[in-house]
Each structure stands twice: as structure tokens, then as C-alpha cells.
């Protein structure tokens, strides 16, 4: 009988429809019904969908969609207000459950984590994890099994809902070759369109792209990186460092569009003050400041600046936010404004003076 070798794996655990699942766990009578969470829970107000149950997703409802649009698509949906403290509490319980296993846990957010594992049967371990999370929290999760973080993350998409899927070098091309480039983690809609315009429609085509051509079109670092992604190559190191927020942000959706630039500036100042308080509580200085503007009916744009020096000074953050607001053409009605303070990443901190 052959002895299976214990080898390193990366598992990606992703809680299924997390926010909606937490709400359903608190209100069992909602099970099996279309549940939409967002804003204050009033679809007549301006807000977007934070998450939707699978039953609601069958109507084409997705995160980021205006609540009013969601209500039109699914009039019988049950709308609930978001409750971040409750989601954080459940998330902490899930992560504590994962740490009971002989694994390294790298938290990515409320609803997902990478696990560093050495095992001769990662699928069996994944099944044990799914069962334990369900028993301890009542929540369902999907698990992707990979030989690096990229493949594990993508594998989870194939595992959903409530399953386990392996994506490694041996089956990478069978699974990914003919998929569009936006199937890759890190390539969004806009980049996919640009890649298609350059003649790269599938993962296989991108993997065979000329590096010089990609560099010329997308930059010397980003272009070649797209080809690396297409080959399924990625980091395999899982670290147990605590999850650290990359930014702190505040935003406001206006029930009536703003048309006065002075009123917009006043709102940005108010948001910047709140963000400054968050930065002070975080105990880390901000390195960049960004402003998000959503124009009516629903076009969202973001600009940012790098601060001359990292700071927690509210006056400097407000000054930067107003400077960024000045980058926008404010001649159109505005329905949302947001201010975000970004911190240096661990990699940036390691090289920063």
C-alpha cells in the first residue's frame, strides 16, 4: 500500500453569503427567502446592497447594486440594515474555530482566510473544517485547495456554495485555459476590456502574451504581472500576522443630489474629520488620501494623492481631501461622497525611511 506524502498546501476558507447568513442565523424565519442587506434596510433610501442571499441573487441582485434597483428586481425581498458589530463578532468566532486546527491562519477580512497546511489529504481536512465551522457557528463555508494563494482563492469560486475544490498546477490549464481573463484574481472589468482590445481574451492567450507588449501597454511592472497571473503563479507563504486594515474610510449617500460645489466641499470636510478620528484610533499615520464621488445617476470615480509625509493631523487630512475633490468636474449632480485615508502596506513600510 502506497504511503501518501505530507506536503504543504494553501487552503482558502470563504464563508458563504456571510452577512446574509449571519442575519438568517439571527432570524431563522428568513431561511430560504430572498434577503438583501444594505444601508438602513429601507430600499426607498439611497444605499447599495452589501450582500444578498442566494435566493435574492437568483433575481440578478449583486453587491454594490442600488437598493432601489434591487427592490424592482425582487419586490418580495426582505431588506435589512447592516450591523457591522454583529458581523465582526461572528467573524471572530469563525477565526477562533479555524485556529483550533493544526494550521496557520492568515485573516483576510470578516469572511475569508488563508490557511497554511501540511497534509496528505487536504480535501479531508477541508471537510473537517467545513463541518466544525458549521457546528460552532451555524454558518456554511466553501474551501479552495491550492498549491499557492492565487490558486486556492480561485478554487473557492468553483467550490461555492458549500463545497471543496482543488486547483493546482496539474489541473490549472484544464480548468482555466479557456476562461476570460477576469476569471483571474486581480484582474477586473476595466483591465479585461483593455486586454481584449490588445487581443488577449482568455487566460491561455494572456499566458502566452509577449512580455514586452504587455509592459508597453500596461506598464513595466503591471503588464508582466498579468502574464504571471495567467500562469497560476503566486505566493504560497501563509503568515499568522493579525489582519490589519489597509485604510479607514467614511462616506455619505445623499437622499437629494448635491449640486452646489461649496456644499460638496463642506461634506468632504466633515467626512475628513471623521476619517481623521478613525486614523487617530488606528494609531497609524495616513500615507495617502482618496476621495470618492458618485455622480447621478450612478457613475463612481475616485482620485487620490500621496501625502508629502505620513500624518495623523486632521488639518492635513482635510487639506488633502479638499485638494483631491478639486480634481473632479463638479458640474454634475452628486449622490455620494467618500473620503479614505490609506496606510502604508507592510511591504511599503519595510522600505520606507
Amino acid at each position: 500500500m502506497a504511503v501518501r506524502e505530507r506536503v504543504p498546501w494553501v487552503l482558502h476558507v470563504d464563508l458563504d453569503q456571510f452577512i446574509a447568513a449571519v442575519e438568517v442565523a439571527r432570524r431563522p424565519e428568513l431561511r430560504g427567502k430572498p434577503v438583501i442587506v444594505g444601508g438602513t434596510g429601507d430600499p426607498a433610501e439611497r444605499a447599495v446592497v452589501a450582500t444578498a442571499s442566494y435566493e435574492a441573487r437568483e433575481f440578478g441582485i449583486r453587491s454594490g447594486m442600488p437598493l432601489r434597483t434591487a427592490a424592482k428586481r425582487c419586490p418580495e425581498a426582505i431588506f435589512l440594515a447592516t450591523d457591522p458589530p454583529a458581523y465582526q463578532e461572528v467573524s471572530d468566532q469563525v477565526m477562533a474555530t479555524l485556529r483550533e486546527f493544526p494550521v496557520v491562519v492568515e485573516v483576510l477580512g470578516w469572511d475569508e482566510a488563508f490557511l497554511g497546511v501540511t497534509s496528505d489529504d487536504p480535501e479531508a481536512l477541508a471537510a473537517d473544517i467545513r463541518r466544525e465551522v458549521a457546528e460552532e457557528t451555524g454558518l456554511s463555508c466553501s474551501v479552495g485547495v491550492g498549491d499557492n494563494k492565487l490558486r486556492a482563492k480561485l478554487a473557492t469560486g468553483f467550490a461555492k456554495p458549500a463545497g471543496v475544490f482543488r486547483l493546482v498546477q496539474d489541473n490549472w490549464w484544464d480548468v482555466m485555459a479557456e476562461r476570460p481573463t477576469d476569471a483571474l484574481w486581480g484582474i477586473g472589468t476595466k483591465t479585461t476590456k483593455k486586454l481584449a482590445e490588445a487581443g488577449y481574451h482568455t487566460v491561455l492567450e494572456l499566458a502566452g502574451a509577449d512580455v514586452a507588449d504587455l509592459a508597453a501597454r500596461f506598464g513595466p511592472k503591471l503588464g508582466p504581472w498579468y502574464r504571471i497571473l495567467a500562469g497560476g503563479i503566486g505566493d504560497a507563504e501563509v503568515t499568522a500576522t493579525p489582519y490589519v486594515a489597509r485604510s479607514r474610510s467614511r462616506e455619505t449617500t445623499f437622499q437629494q443630489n448635491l449640486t452646489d460645489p461649496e456644499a460638496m466641499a463642506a461634506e468632504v470636510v466633515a467626512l475628513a474629520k471623521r476619517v481623521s478620528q478613525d486614523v487617530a484610533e488606528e494609531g497609524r499615520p495616513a500615507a495617502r488620501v482618496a476621495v470618492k464621488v458618485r455622480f447621478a445617476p450612478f457613475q463612481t470615480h475616485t482620485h487620490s494623492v500621496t501625502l508629502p509625509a505620513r500624518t495623523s493631523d486632521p488639518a492635513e487630512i482635510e487639506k488633502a481631501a479638499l485638494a483631491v475633490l478639486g480634481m473632479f468636474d463638479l458640474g454634475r449632480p452628486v449622490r455620494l461622497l467618500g473620503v479614505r485615508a490609506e496606510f502604508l502596506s507592510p511591504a511599503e513600510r519595510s522600505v520606507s525611511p
Side-chain angles (χ1 to χ4, degrees):
M1 180 178 177
V3 177
R4 290 188 293 186
E5 181 183 2
R6 291 177 60 84
V7 297
W9 300 93
V10 178
L11 271 57
H12 178 252
V13 178
D14 196 342
L15 294 163
D16 299 323
Q17 53 176 3
F18 173 63
I19 294 175
V22 172
E23 296 294 353
V24 170
R26 297 200 290 181
R27 303 172 177 84
E29 69 274 12
L30 299 181
R31 191 172 303 280
K33 298 180 180 180
V35 174
I36 298 171
V37 183
T40 63
D42 183 357
E45 294 185 359
R46 282 184 168 176
V48 297
V49 175
T51 194
S53 66
Y54 289 128
E55 292 80 7
R57 295 179 194 183
E58 292 179 0
F59 292 84
I61 295 168
R62 298 289 183 268
S63 297
M65 175 183 291
L67 291 184
R68 291 178 181 177
T69 302
K72 290 178 181 178
R73 293 194 178 187
C74 186
E76 64 268 35
I78 298 165
F79 288 83
L80 301 174
T82 57
D83 187 356
Y87 310 144
Q88 185 64 62
E89 181 180 354
V90 176
S91 175
D92 290 343
Q93 186 180 3
V94 171
M95 300 307 163
T97 300
L98 296 179
R99 292 187 178 99
E100 294 175 358
F101 288 86
V103 300
V104 177
V105 179
E106 182 176 328
V107 179
L108 299 181
W110 276 341
D111 60 347
E112 60 178 329
F114 283 121
L115 308 183
V117 174
T118 300
S119 173
D120 61 1
D121 192 346
E123 279 82 4
L125 177 60
D128 290 342
I129 288 170
R130 290 196 62 256
R131 182 168 51 253
E132 192 67 20
V133 168
E135 290 179 356
E136 292 293 327
T137 69
L139 300 181
S140 168
C141 66
S142 299
V143 183
V145 177
D147 46 11
N148 60 39
K149 289 180 176 178
L150 169 65
R151 288 174 174 150
K153 171 79 172 181
L154 294 178
T156 312
F158 297 108
K160 283 185 171 291
V164 177
F165 189 88
R166 180 190 292 203
L167 182 60
V168 294
Q169 183 177 357
D170 288 347
N171 68 338
W172 174 257
W173 299 116
D174 290 340
V175 175
M176 298 296 297
E178 299 306 317
R179 295 186 181 276
T181 56
D182 62 359
L184 294 168
W185 182 32
I187 295 183
T189 304
K190 292 182 179 179
T191 302
T192 297
K193 183 178 179 180
K194 292 179 180 179
L195 286 168
E197 291 171 351
Y200 309 120
H201 300 87
T202 67
V203 172
L204 183 61
E205 288 174 345
L206 182 56
D210 180 73
V211 173
D213 180 53
L214 290 175
R217 292 176 182 273
F218 300 98
K221 292 185 178 180
L222 203 56
W225 179 66
Y226 291 149
R227 175 173 165 165
I228 291 172
L229 281 181
I233 300 167
D235 180 21
E237 182 181 1
V238 179
T239 59
T241 53
Y243 172 72
V244 178
R246 296 180 180 178
S247 63
R248 297 298 296 268
S249 64
R250 296 283 185 167
E251 61 183 42
T252 300
T253 299
F254 307 107
Q255 298 309 310
Q256 299 294 328
N257 292 336
L258 294 185
T259 56
D260 180 3
E262 291 187 3
M264 298 174 196
E267 291 290 346
V268 164
V269 168
L271 290 167
K273 288 180 178 178
R274 296 171 64 192
V275 168
S276 297
Q277 293 174 350
D278 295 337
V279 169
E281 292 175 2
E282 189 74 26
R284 292 183 289 157
R288 287 175 290 272
V289 172
V291 172
K292 178 168 71 172
V293 178
R294 179 167 294 151
F295 296 101
F298 206 81
Q299 294 179 326
T300 305
H301 300 279
T302 302
H303 290 306
S304 64
V305 294
T306 298
L307 297 170
R310 288 179 287 167
T311 183
S312 300
D313 184 350
E316 291 298 318
I317 293 174
E318 291 173 27
K319 178 182 176 181
L322 286 173
V324 177
L325 181 66
M327 299 178 182
F328 294 89
D329 176 6
L330 300 177
R332 292 180 288 166
V334 169
R335 59 178 291 159
L336 176 148
L337 287 169
V339 174
R340 181 176 72 245
E342 300 177 355
F343 308 113
L344 290 182
S345 68
E348 289 173 315
R349 290 199 301 270
S350 67
V351 298
S352 178

